[in-house]
CSV table of all heavy atoms in Angstrom, one decimal:
chain,number,residue,atom,x,y,z
A,1,MET,N,233.4,179.3,74.7
A,1,MET,CA,234.7,179.7,75.2
A,1,MET,C,235.1,178.9,76.4
A,1,MET,O,234.3,178.7,77.3
A,1,MET,CB,234.8,181.2,75.4
A,1,MET,CG,236.0,181.7,75.9
A,1,MET,SD,236.0,183.5,76.0
A,1,MET,CE,237.7,183.7,76.3
A,2,LYS,N,236.3,178.5,76.5
A,2,LYS,CA,236.8,177.8,77.7
A,2,LYS,C,237.8,178.7,78.5
A,2,LYS,O,238.7,179.3,77.9
A,2,LYS,CB,237.5,176.5,77.4
A,2,LYS,CG,236.6,175.3,77.3
A,2,LYS,CD,237.5,174.1,77.2
A,2,LYS,CE,236.5,172.9,77.3
A,2,LYS,NZ,237.2,171.6,77.2
A,3,ALA,N,237.7,178.7,79.8
A,3,ALA,CA,238.6,179.5,80.7
A,3,ALA,C,238.8,178.6,81.9
A,3,ALA,O,237.9,178.2,82.5
A,3,ALA,CB,238.0,180.8,81.0
A,4,LEU,N,240.1,178.3,82.2
A,4,LEU,CA,240.5,177.5,83.3
A,4,LEU,C,239.8,176.1,83.2
A,4,LEU,O,239.5,175.6,84.2
A,4,LEU,CB,240.1,178.2,84.6
A,4,LEU,CG,240.7,179.6,84.8
A,4,LEU,CD1,240.2,180.3,86.1
A,4,LEU,CD2,242.3,179.5,84.9
A,5,GLY,N,239.7,175.6,82.0
A,5,GLY,CA,239.1,174.3,81.8
A,5,GLY,C,237.6,174.2,82.0
A,5,GLY,O,237.0,173.1,82.0
A,6,ILE,N,236.9,175.3,82.1
A,6,ILE,CA,235.5,175.4,82.3
A,6,ILE,C,234.9,176.0,81.1
A,6,ILE,O,235.3,177.1,80.6
A,6,ILE,CB,235.1,176.2,83.6
A,6,ILE,CG1,235.8,175.6,84.8
A,6,ILE,CG2,233.6,176.3,83.7
A,6,ILE,CD1,235.7,176.5,86.0
A,7,GLN,N,233.8,175.3,80.5
A,7,GLN,CA,233.1,175.8,79.4
A,7,GLN,C,232.2,177.0,79.8
A,7,GLN,O,231.4,176.8,80.7
A,7,GLN,CB,232.3,174.7,78.7
A,7,GLN,CG,231.5,175.2,77.5
A,7,GLN,CD,232.4,175.4,76.3
A,7,GLN,OE1,233.4,174.7,76.2
A,7,GLN,NE2,232.1,176.3,75.5
A,8,LYS,N,232.4,178.1,79.3
A,8,LYS,CA,231.6,179.3,79.6
A,8,LYS,C,230.4,179.4,78.7
A,8,LYS,O,230.5,179.0,77.5
A,8,LYS,CB,232.4,180.6,79.5
A,8,LYS,CG,233.7,180.6,80.3
A,8,LYS,CD,233.3,180.8,81.8
A,8,LYS,CE,234.5,180.9,82.6
A,8,LYS,NZ,234.2,180.9,84.1
A,9,PRO,N,229.3,179.9,79.2
A,9,PRO,CA,228.1,179.9,78.4
A,9,PRO,C,228.0,181.1,77.4
A,9,PRO,O,227.1,181.3,76.7
A,9,PRO,CB,226.9,180.1,79.4
A,9,PRO,CG,227.6,180.8,80.6
A,9,PRO,CD,229.0,180.3,80.6
A,10,TRP,N,229.1,181.9,77.3
A,10,TRP,CA,229.1,183.0,76.4
A,10,TRP,C,230.5,183.0,75.8
A,10,TRP,O,231.5,182.4,76.2
A,10,TRP,CB,228.9,184.3,77.2
A,10,TRP,CG,229.9,184.5,78.3
A,10,TRP,CD1,229.7,184.1,79.6
A,10,TRP,CD2,231.2,185.1,78.3
A,10,TRP,NE1,230.9,184.3,80.3
A,10,TRP,CE2,231.8,185.0,79.5
A,10,TRP,CE3,232.0,185.7,77.2
A,10,TRP,CZ2,233.0,185.4,79.8
A,10,TRP,CZ3,233.2,186.1,77.6
A,10,TRP,CH2,233.8,186.0,78.8
A,11,ALA,N,230.6,183.8,74.7
A,11,ALA,CA,231.9,184.0,74.1
A,11,ALA,C,231.9,185.4,73.6
A,11,ALA,O,231.0,185.9,73.0
A,11,ALA,CB,232.1,183.0,72.9
A,12,PRO,N,233.1,186.1,73.8
A,12,PRO,CA,233.2,187.5,73.3
A,12,PRO,C,233.2,187.4,71.8
A,12,PRO,O,233.8,186.5,71.2
A,12,PRO,CB,234.5,187.9,73.9
A,12,PRO,CG,235.3,186.7,74.2
A,12,PRO,CD,234.3,185.6,74.5
A,13,PRO,N,232.6,188.4,71.1
A,13,PRO,CA,232.7,188.5,69.6
A,13,PRO,C,234.1,188.7,69.2
A,13,PRO,O,234.9,189.4,69.8
A,13,PRO,CB,231.8,189.7,69.3
A,13,PRO,CG,231.5,190.4,70.5
A,13,PRO,CD,231.9,189.5,71.7
A,14,ARG,N,234.5,187.9,68.2
A,14,ARG,CA,235.9,188.0,67.7
A,14,ARG,C,236.0,188.6,66.3
A,14,ARG,O,237.0,188.7,65.7
A,14,ARG,CB,236.6,186.6,67.7
A,14,ARG,CG,236.6,186.1,69.1
A,14,ARG,CD,237.6,184.9,69.2
A,14,ARG,NE,237.5,184.2,70.4
A,14,ARG,CZ,238.1,184.6,71.6
A,14,ARG,NH1,238.7,185.7,71.6
A,14,ARG,NH2,237.9,183.8,72.6
A,15,SER,N,234.8,188.9,65.7
A,15,SER,CA,234.8,189.4,64.3
A,15,SER,C,234.3,190.8,64.3
A,15,SER,O,233.3,191.1,65.0
A,15,SER,CB,233.9,188.5,63.4
A,15,SER,OG,233.8,189.0,62.1
A,16,TYR,N,235.0,191.7,63.7
A,16,TYR,CA,234.6,193.1,63.6
A,16,TYR,C,234.8,193.6,62.2
A,16,TYR,O,235.4,192.8,61.3
A,16,TYR,CB,235.3,194.0,64.6
A,16,TYR,CG,236.8,194.1,64.4
A,16,TYR,CD1,237.3,195.2,63.7
A,16,TYR,CD2,237.7,193.1,64.8
A,16,TYR,CE1,238.7,195.3,63.5
A,16,TYR,CE2,239.1,193.2,64.5
A,16,TYR,CZ,239.5,194.3,63.9
A,16,TYR,OH,240.9,194.4,63.6
A,17,GLY,N,234.4,194.7,61.8
A,17,GLY,CA,234.6,195.3,60.5
A,17,GLY,C,235.6,196.4,60.5
A,17,GLY,O,235.5,197.3,61.3
A,18,LEU,N,236.6,196.4,59.7
A,18,LEU,CA,237.6,197.5,59.6
A,18,LEU,C,238.0,197.6,58.1
A,18,LEU,O,238.4,196.6,57.4
A,18,LEU,CB,238.8,197.1,60.4
A,18,LEU,CG,240.0,198.1,60.3
A,18,LEU,CD1,239.6,199.5,60.7
A,18,LEU,CD2,241.2,197.6,61.1
A,19,LEU,N,237.9,198.8,57.6
A,19,LEU,CA,238.3,199.1,56.3
A,19,LEU,C,239.2,200.4,56.4
A,19,LEU,O,238.7,201.4,57.0
A,19,LEU,CB,237.2,199.4,55.4
A,19,LEU,CG,237.4,199.7,53.9
A,19,LEU,CD1,238.2,198.6,53.2
A,19,LEU,CD2,236.2,200.1,53.2
A,20,ALA,N,240.4,200.4,55.9
A,20,ALA,CA,241.3,201.5,56.0
A,20,ALA,C,241.8,201.9,54.7
A,20,ALA,O,242.1,201.1,53.8
A,20,ALA,CB,242.5,201.2,56.9
A,21,HIS,N,241.9,203.2,54.4
A,21,HIS,CA,242.5,203.8,53.2
A,21,HIS,C,243.9,204.1,53.5
A,21,HIS,O,244.2,204.9,54.5
A,21,HIS,CB,241.7,205.0,52.7
A,21,HIS,CG,242.2,205.6,51.5
A,21,HIS,ND1,243.0,206.7,51.5
A,21,HIS,CD2,242.1,205.2,50.2
A,21,HIS,CE1,243.3,207.0,50.3
A,21,HIS,NE2,242.8,206.1,49.5
A,22,LEU,N,244.8,203.6,52.8
A,22,LEU,CA,246.3,203.9,53.0
A,22,LEU,C,246.8,204.8,51.9
A,22,LEU,O,246.5,204.7,50.7
A,22,LEU,CB,247.1,202.6,53.0
A,22,LEU,CG,246.6,201.5,53.9
A,22,LEU,CD1,247.4,200.3,53.8
A,22,LEU,CD2,246.7,202.0,55.4
A,23,ASP,N,247.7,205.8,52.3
A,23,ASP,CA,248.3,206.6,51.3
A,23,ASP,C,249.5,205.9,50.6
A,23,ASP,O,249.8,204.8,51.0
A,23,ASP,CB,248.6,208.0,51.9
A,23,ASP,CG,249.6,207.9,53.0
A,23,ASP,OD1,250.3,206.9,53.1
A,23,ASP,OD2,249.8,208.9,53.7
A,24,ARG,N,250.2,206.6,49.8
A,24,ARG,CA,251.4,206.0,49.1
A,24,ARG,C,252.5,205.6,50.1
A,24,ARG,O,253.2,204.7,49.7
A,24,ARG,CB,251.9,207.0,48.1
A,24,ARG,CG,251.0,207.3,47.0
A,24,ARG,CD,251.6,208.1,45.9
A,24,ARG,NE,250.7,208.5,44.9
A,24,ARG,CZ,250.4,207.8,43.8
A,24,ARG,NH1,251.0,206.6,43.6
A,24,ARG,NH2,249.5,208.2,42.9
A,25,GLU,N,252.5,206.2,51.2
A,25,GLU,CA,253.6,205.8,52.2
A,25,GLU,C,253.1,204.7,53.1
A,25,GLU,O,253.8,204.3,54.1
A,25,GLU,CB,254.0,207.0,53.0
A,25,GLU,CG,254.8,208.0,52.3
A,25,GLU,CD,254.0,208.9,51.4
A,25,GLU,OE1,252.8,209.2,51.8
A,25,GLU,OE2,254.4,209.2,50.3
A,26,GLY,N,251.8,204.2,53.0
A,26,GLY,CA,251.3,203.2,53.8
A,26,GLY,C,250.7,203.6,55.1
A,26,GLY,O,250.4,202.8,56.0
A,27,GLU,N,250.5,204.9,55.2
A,27,GLU,CA,249.8,205.5,56.4
A,27,GLU,C,248.3,205.5,56.2
A,27,GLU,O,247.8,205.9,55.1
A,27,GLU,CB,250.3,206.9,56.7
A,27,GLU,CG,251.8,207.1,56.9
A,27,GLU,CD,252.2,206.5,58.3
A,27,GLU,OE1,251.4,206.6,59.2
A,27,GLU,OE2,253.3,205.9,58.4
A,28,ALA,N,247.6,205.1,57.2
A,28,ALA,CA,246.1,205.2,57.2
A,28,ALA,C,245.6,206.6,57.2
A,28,ALA,O,246.0,207.4,58.1
A,28,ALA,CB,245.5,204.4,58.4
A,29,THR,N,244.8,207.0,56.2
A,29,THR,CA,244.3,208.3,56.1
A,29,THR,C,242.8,208.4,56.5
A,29,THR,O,242.4,209.4,57.0
A,29,THR,CB,244.5,208.9,54.7
A,29,THR,OG1,243.8,208.1,53.8
A,29,THR,CG2,245.9,209.0,54.4
A,30,ASP,N,242.1,207.4,56.3
A,30,ASP,CA,240.6,207.3,56.6
A,30,ASP,C,240.4,205.8,57.0
A,30,ASP,O,241.0,204.9,56.6
A,30,ASP,CB,239.8,207.6,55.4
A,30,ASP,CG,239.9,209.1,55.0
A,30,ASP,OD1,239.6,210.0,55.8
A,30,ASP,OD2,240.3,209.3,53.8
A,31,SER,N,239.3,205.6,57.8
A,31,SER,CA,238.9,204.3,58.1
A,31,SER,C,237.4,204.2,58.4
A,31,SER,O,236.8,205.2,58.8
A,31,SER,CB,239.7,203.7,59.3
A,31,SER,OG,239.4,204.5,60.4
A,32,LEU,N,236.8,203.0,58.2
A,32,LEU,CA,235.5,202.7,58.6
A,32,LEU,C,235.5,201.5,59.5
A,32,LEU,O,236.3,200.6,59.4
A,32,LEU,CB,234.6,202.3,57.3
A,32,LEU,CG,234.4,203.3,56.2
A,32,LEU,CD1,233.8,202.6,55.0
A,32,LEU,CD2,233.6,204.5,56.7
A,33,HIS,N,234.7,201.6,60.6
A,33,HIS,CA,234.7,200.6,61.6
A,33,HIS,C,233.3,200.0,61.8
A,33,HIS,O,232.3,200.8,61.8
A,33,HIS,CB,235.3,201.1,62.9
A,33,HIS,CG,236.6,201.7,62.8
A,33,HIS,ND1,237.7,201.0,63.1
A,33,HIS,CD2,237.0,202.9,62.5
A,33,HIS,CE1,238.8,201.7,62.9
A,33,HIS,NE2,238.4,202.9,62.5
A,34,SER,N,233.2,198.8,62.1
A,34,SER,CA,232.0,198.2,62.7
A,34,SER,C,232.4,197.5,64.0
A,34,SER,O,233.3,196.6,63.9
A,34,SER,CB,231.3,197.2,61.7
A,34,SER,OG,230.1,196.6,62.3
A,35,ARG,N,231.7,197.7,65.1
A,35,ARG,CA,232.1,197.2,66.3
A,35,ARG,C,232.1,195.7,66.3
A,35,ARG,O,231.3,195.1,65.5
A,35,ARG,CB,231.3,197.7,67.4
A,35,ARG,CG,231.4,199.2,67.6
A,35,ARG,CD,230.4,199.6,68.7
A,35,ARG,NE,230.5,201.1,68.8
A,35,ARG,CZ,229.8,201.8,69.6
A,35,ARG,NH1,228.9,201.1,70.4
A,35,ARG,NH2,229.9,203.1,69.7
A,36,ALA,N,232.8,195.0,67.2
A,36,ALA,CA,232.7,193.6,67.4
A,36,ALA,C,231.3,193.2,67.7
A,36,ALA,O,230.7,193.9,68.6
A,36,ALA,CB,233.7,193.1,68.5
A,37,GLY,N,230.8,192.3,67.0
A,37,GLY,CA,229.4,191.9,67.2
A,37,GLY,C,228.4,192.9,66.5
A,37,GLY,O,227.2,192.8,66.6
A,38,GLY,N,228.9,193.9,65.7
A,38,GLY,CA,228.1,194.9,65.0
A,38,GLY,C,227.4,194.3,63.8
A,38,GLY,O,227.5,193.1,63.5
A,39,ARG,N,226.7,195.1,63.1
A,39,ARG,CA,225.9,194.7,61.9
A,39,ARG,C,226.7,194.2,60.8
A,39,ARG,O,226.4,193.3,60.0
A,39,ARG,CB,225.0,195.8,61.5
A,39,ARG,CG,223.8,196.0,62.4
A,39,ARG,CD,222.9,197.1,61.9
A,39,ARG,NE,222.4,196.8,60.5
A,39,ARG,CZ,221.8,197.8,59.8
A,39,ARG,NH1,221.6,199.0,60.3
A,39,ARG,NH2,221.5,197.5,58.6
A,40,PHE,N,227.9,194.9,60.5
A,40,PHE,CA,228.7,194.6,59.3
A,40,PHE,C,230.1,194.1,59.6
A,40,PHE,O,231.1,194.7,59.2
A,40,PHE,CB,228.7,195.9,58.4
A,40,PHE,CG,227.4,196.4,58.1
A,40,PHE,CD1,227.0,197.7,58.6
A,40,PHE,CD2,226.5,195.7,57.4
A,40,PHE,CE1,225.7,198.1,58.3
A,40,PHE,CE2,225.2,196.1,57.1
A,40,PHE,CZ,224.8,197.4,57.5
A,41,HIS,N,230.2,193.1,60.4
A,41,HIS,CA,231.5,192.5,60.8
A,41,HIS,C,231.9,191.5,59.7
A,41,HIS,O,231.2,191.2,58.8
A,41,HIS,CB,231.4,191.8,62.1
A,41,HIS,CG,230.5,190.6,62.1
A,41,HIS,ND1,230.9,189.4,62.0
A,41,HIS,CD2,229.1,190.5,62.3
A,41,HIS,CE1,229.9,188.5,62.0
A,41,HIS,NE2,228.8,189.2,62.2
A,42,GLY,N,233.2,191.2,59.8
A,42,GLY,CA,233.8,190.2,58.8
A,42,GLY,C,234.1,190.8,57.5
A,42,GLY,O,233.9,190.1,56.4
A,43,ILE,N,234.5,192.0,57.4
A,43,ILE,CA,234.8,192.6,56.0
A,43,ILE,C,236.0,191.9,55.5
A,43,ILE,O,237.0,191.7,56.1
A,43,ILE,CB,235.1,194.1,56.2
A,43,ILE,CG1,233.8,194.9,56.6
A,43,ILE,CG2,235.7,194.7,54.9
A,43,ILE,CD1,234.0,196.3,56.8
A,44,ASN,N,235.9,191.4,54.2
A,44,ASN,CA,237.0,190.7,53.6
A,44,ASN,C,237.3,191.2,52.2
A,44,ASN,O,238.2,190.6,51.6
A,44,ASN,CB,236.7,189.2,53.5
A,44,ASN,CG,235.4,188.8,52.8
A,44,ASN,OD1,234.8,189.7,52.3
A,44,ASN,ND2,235.1,187.6,52.7
A,45,GLY,N,236.7,192.3,51.8
A,45,GLY,CA,237.1,192.9,50.5
A,45,GLY,C,236.4,194.2,50.3
A,45,GLY,O,235.4,194.5,50.8
A,46,ALA,N,237.1,195.0,49.4
A,46,ALA,CA,236.6,196.3,49.1
A,46,ALA,C,237.1,196.8,47.7
A,46,ALA,O,238.2,196.4,47.4
A,46,ALA,CB,236.9,197.4,50.1
A,47,CYS,N,236.3,197.5,47.0
A,47,CYS,CA,236.8,198.0,45.7
A,47,CYS,C,236.2,199.4,45.5
A,47,CYS,O,235.0,199.6,45.7
A,47,CYS,CB,236.3,197.1,44.6
A,47,CYS,SG,236.7,197.6,43.0
A,48,ASP,N,237.0,200.4,45.1
A,48,ASP,CA,236.6,201.7,44.9
A,48,ASP,C,236.0,201.8,43.4
A,48,ASP,O,236.6,201.3,42.5
A,48,ASP,CB,237.8,202.7,45.0
A,48,ASP,CG,237.4,204.1,45.0
A,48,ASP,OD1,236.1,204.4,45.2
A,48,ASP,OD2,238.2,205.0,44.9
A,49,THR,N,234.8,202.3,43.3
A,49,THR,CA,234.1,202.4,42.0
A,49,THR,C,233.7,203.9,41.8
A,49,THR,O,233.8,204.7,42.7
A,49,THR,CB,232.9,201.5,41.9
A,49,THR,OG1,231.9,202.0,42.8
A,49,THR,CG2,233.2,200.1,42.3
A,50,GLN,N,233.1,204.1,40.6
A,50,GLN,CA,232.6,205.5,40.4
A,50,GLN,C,231.4,205.9,41.2
A,50,GLN,O,231.1,207.0,41.4
A,50,GLN,CB,232.3,205.7,38.9
A,50,GLN,CG,231.2,204.8,38.4
A,50,GLN,CD,231.0,205.0,36.9
A,50,GLN,OE1,231.8,205.6,36.2
A,50,GLN,NE2,229.9,204.4,36.5
A,51,TYR,N,230.8,204.8,41.8
A,51,TYR,CA,229.6,205.1,42.6
A,51,TYR,C,229.9,205.1,44.1
A,51,TYR,O,229.0,205.5,44.9
A,51,TYR,CB,228.5,203.9,42.3
A,51,TYR,CG,228.2,203.8,40.9
A,51,TYR,CD1,228.7,202.8,40.1
A,51,TYR,CD2,227.4,204.8,40.3
A,51,TYR,CE1,228.4,202.7,38.8
A,51,TYR,CE2,227.1,204.7,38.9
A,51,TYR,CZ,227.6,203.6,38.2
A,51,TYR,OH,227.3,203.5,36.8
A,52,GLY,N,231.0,204.7,44.5
A,52,GLY,CA,231.4,204.7,45.9
A,52,GLY,C,232.3,203.4,46.2
A,52,GLY,O,232.7,202.7,45.2
A,53,VAL,N,232.5,203.1,47.4
A,53,VAL,CA,233.3,201.9,47.8
A,53,VAL,C,232.4,200.7,48.0
A,53,VAL,O,231.5,200.8,48.8
A,53,VAL,CB,234.1,202.2,49.0
A,53,VAL,CG1,235.0,201.0,49.4
A,53,VAL,CG2,235.0,203.4,48.9
A,54,VAL,N,232.6,199.7,47.2
A,54,VAL,CA,231.8,198.4,47.4
A,54,VAL,C,232.6,197.6,48.4
A,54,VAL,O,233.8,197.3,48.2
A,54,VAL,CB,231.6,197.7,46.0
A,54,VAL,CG1,230.9,196.4,46.2
A,54,VAL,CG2,230.9,198.6,45.0
A,55,ILE,N,231.9,197.1,49.4
A,55,ILE,CA,232.5,196.4,50.5
A,55,ILE,C,231.7,195.0,50.7
A,55,ILE,O,230.5,195.0,50.7
A,55,ILE,CB,232.4,197.1,51.8
A,55,ILE,CG1,233.0,198.5,51.6
A,55,ILE,CG2,233.0,196.4,53.0
A,55,ILE,CD1,232.6,199.5,52.7
A,56,THR,N,232.5,193.9,50.8
A,56,THR,CA,231.9,192.7,51.1
A,56,THR,C,232.0,192.4,52.6
A,56,THR,O,233.1,192.5,53.1
A,56,THR,CB,232.5,191.5,50.3
A,56,THR,OG1,233.9,191.4,50.5
A,56,THR,CG2,232.2,191.7,48.8
A,57,ALA,N,230.9,192.0,53.2
A,57,ALA,CA,231.0,191.7,54.7
A,57,ALA,C,230.5,190.3,54.9
A,57,ALA,O,229.3,190.0,54.8
A,57,ALA,CB,230.1,192.7,55.4
A,58,ARG,N,231.4,189.4,55.0
A,58,ARG,CA,231.1,187.9,55.1
A,58,ARG,C,230.3,187.6,56.3
A,58,ARG,O,229.3,186.8,56.3
A,58,ARG,CB,232.3,187.1,55.1
A,58,ARG,CG,232.1,185.6,55.1
A,58,ARG,CD,233.3,184.8,55.0
A,58,ARG,NE,233.1,183.4,55.1
A,58,ARG,CZ,233.0,182.6,54.1
A,58,ARG,NH1,233.1,183.0,52.9
A,58,ARG,NH2,232.8,181.3,54.3
A,59,GLY,N,230.6,188.3,57.5
A,59,GLY,CA,229.9,188.0,58.7
A,59,GLY,C,228.4,188.4,58.6
A,59,GLY,O,227.6,187.8,59.2
A,60,ALA,N,228.2,189.5,57.9
A,60,ALA,CA,226.8,190.0,57.7
A,60,ALA,C,226.2,189.3,56.5
A,60,ALA,O,225.0,189.4,56.3
A,60,ALA,CB,226.8,191.5,57.5
A,61,GLY,N,227.0,188.7,55.6
A,61,GLY,CA,226.5,188.1,54.4
A,61,GLY,C,225.9,189.2,53.4
A,61,GLY,O,224.9,188.9,52.8
A,62,GLN,N,226.5,190.3,53.4
A,62,GLN,CA,226.0,191.4,52.6
A,62,GLN,C,227.0,192.1,51.7
A,62,GLN,O,228.2,192.0,52.0
A,62,GLN,CB,225.4,192.5,53.5
A,62,GLN,CG,224.2,192.0,54.3
A,62,GLN,CD,223.6,193.1,55.1
A,62,GLN,OE1,224.0,194.3,55.0
A,62,GLN,NE2,222.5,192.8,55.8
A,63,LEU,N,226.6,192.7,50.7
A,63,LEU,CA,227.4,193.5,49.8
A,63,LEU,C,227.0,195.0,50.1
A,63,LEU,O,225.8,195.3,50.0
A,63,LEU,CB,227.1,193.2,48.3
A,63,LEU,CG,228.0,193.9,47.3
A,63,LEU,CD1,229.4,193.5,47.5
A,63,LEU,CD2,227.5,193.5,45.9
A,64,LEU,N,227.9,195.8,50.5
A,64,LEU,CA,227.6,197.2,50.9
A,64,LEU,C,228.2,198.2,49.9
A,64,LEU,O,229.1,197.9,49.2
A,64,LEU,CB,228.3,197.4,52.3
A,64,LEU,CG,228.0,196.3,53.3
A,64,LEU,CD1,229.0,196.6,54.5
A,64,LEU,CD2,226.6,196.4,53.8
A,65,LEU,N,227.5,199.3,49.9
A,65,LEU,CA,228.0,200.4,49.1
A,65,LEU,C,228.1,201.6,50.0
A,65,LEU,O,227.2,202.1,50.6
A,65,LEU,CB,227.0,200.8,47.9
A,65,LEU,CG,227.4,201.9,47.0
A,65,LEU,CD1,228.7,201.7,46.3
A,65,LEU,CD2,226.3,202.3,46.0
A,66,TYR,N,229.4,202.1,50.1
A,66,TYR,CA,229.6,203.3,50.9
A,66,TYR,C,229.9,204.5,50.0
A,66,TYR,O,230.8,204.4,49.2
A,66,TYR,CB,230.8,203.1,51.9
A,66,TYR,CG,231.2,204.3,52.7
A,66,TYR,CD1,230.4,204.6,53.8
A,66,TYR,CD2,232.3,205.1,52.4
A,66,TYR,CE1,230.7,205.7,54.6
A,66,TYR,CE2,232.6,206.2,53.2
A,66,TYR,CZ,231.8,206.5,54.3
A,66,TYR,OH,232.0,207.6,55.0
A,67,THR,N,229.1,205.5,50.2
A,67,THR,CA,229.2,206.7,49.3
A,67,THR,C,229.7,207.9,50.0
A,67,THR,O,229.7,209.0,49.5
A,67,THR,CB,227.8,207.0,48.6
A,67,THR,OG1,226.9,207.2,49.7
A,67,THR,CG2,227.4,205.9,47.8
A,68,GLY,N,230.3,207.7,51.2
A,68,GLY,CA,230.9,208.8,52.0
A,68,GLY,C,232.2,209.2,51.5
A,68,GLY,O,232.6,209.0,50.4
A,69,GLY,N,233.0,209.8,52.4
A,69,GLY,CA,234.2,210.4,52.0
A,69,GLY,C,235.5,209.6,52.2
A,69,GLY,O,236.5,210.2,52.5
A,70,LEU,N,235.5,208.3,52.0
A,70,LEU,CA,236.7,207.5,52.2
A,70,LEU,C,237.4,207.5,50.8
A,70,LEU,O,237.2,206.6,50.0
A,70,LEU,CB,236.3,206.1,52.6
A,70,LEU,CG,237.4,205.1,52.9
A,70,LEU,CD1,238.2,205.6,54.2
A,70,LEU,CD2,237.0,203.7,53.1
A,71,ARG,N,238.3,208.4,50.6
A,71,ARG,CA,239.0,208.5,49.4
A,71,ARG,C,240.3,209.2,49.6
A,71,ARG,O,240.4,210.2,50.3
A,71,ARG,CB,238.2,209.2,48.3
A,71,ARG,CG,237.0,208.4,47.8
A,71,ARG,CD,236.6,208.9,46.5
A,71,ARG,NE,235.3,208.5,46.2
A,71,ARG,CZ,234.8,207.3,45.9
A,71,ARG,NH1,235.6,206.3,45.9
A,71,ARG,NH2,233.6,207.1,45.6
C-alpha cells in the first residue's frame, strides 16, 4: 500500500465475507459475516439446497455448507 508516495510494509485487508438473505421487498433479514482477513473471505456465490446453504469462498479457496438458520 502507498500513502503519501511512500510504500508501506503492510496493507489493510480489503476482502471480507458477506452473505445476506433478502426478502421480497429487498430488505436484509439475515446475514453471515467473515471479518476482513478472516478465514472465509471473498464470498462470490451461494445457493440454498435441501441440506443447507452452499457458499463459495474464493479468498479461502473453499466450498462451505452452512446448516444454520439463514432462511
Side-chain angles (χ1 to χ4, degrees):
M1 175 174 194
K2 271 191 174 181
L4 302 172
I6 301 169
Q7 182 72 32
K8 300 292 183 182
W10 57 271
R14 300 195 188 280
S15 178
Y16 66 98
L18 172 63
L19 179 63
H21 179 257
L22 305 178
D23 64 13
R24 294 188 187 272
E25 289 78 37
E27 297 290 326
T29 58
D30 297 298
S31 64
L32 297 172
H33 304 266
S34 178
R35 296 179 183 177
R39 285 181 56 194
F40 304 116
H41 64 96
I43 291 175
N44 61 357
C47 180
D48 193 14
T49 70
Q50 64 184 10
Y51 304 106
V53 180
V54 177
I55 305 165
T56 57
R58 184 176 174 100
Q62 295 186 4
L63 185 63
L64 312 168
L65 177 63
Y66 179 75
T67 57
L70 186 68
R71 294 203 200 285

